[in-house]
Amino acid sequence: GGASAAIQLGGQVGAEYDLLRTVVLKADAGFINVEYEGTARTDNLFSAGFGVDWRVTRSLTFSPYYDFNLRDTSAVGLGYRAHEIGVDAKYSF
């Protein structure tokens, strides 16, 4: 609220490794710095995660994952830490 614009600067890196023909290990990490024009607010966003793509059949893939996100902000009460665990399923035909 009150900002005329938000200027973001950051980046993300990721890697994948084929453990088996049907199993791919994945990991990523990222950082974004956000400055809100017209206010004193600055946010630093950190993210990291890892997962696996498991190709059960030619058409079915399961992808369990873990993601961590952190917002370190100068705004009181708006910072957070979030842990997310999930499984994506994909069926192609």
Side-chain angles (χ1 to χ4, degrees):
S4 60
I7 299 172
Q8 298 184 8
L9 177 64
Q12 185 170 354
V13 296
E16 293 185 357
Y17 177 73
D18 293 339
L19 186 63
L20 302 169
R21 277 186 33 195
T22 58
V23 178
V24 177
L25 304 177
K26 303 185 320 182
D28 62 76
F31 171 78
I32 300 174
N33 173 269
V34 184
E35 294 189 16
Y36 296 89
E37 292 292 313
T39 69
R41 180 178 172 183
T42 300
D43 290 358
N44 290 309
L45 308 166
F46 302 93
S47 64
F50 61 88
V52 176
D53 284 347
W54 175 36
R55 192 171 182 180
V56 180
T57 68
R58 202 166 99 183
S59 300
L60 181 62
T61 303
F62 287 112
S63 302
Y65 64 89
Y66 167 78
D67 286 325
F68 172 75
N69 292 290
L70 168 72
R71 176 165 63 188
D72 180 26
T73 180
S74 60
V76 176
L78 295 180
Y80 64 83
R81 291 177 186 213
H83 301 271
E84 181 179 351
I85 297 172
V87 177
D88 292 333
K90 178 179 163 184
Y91 184 79
S92 303
F93 54 94

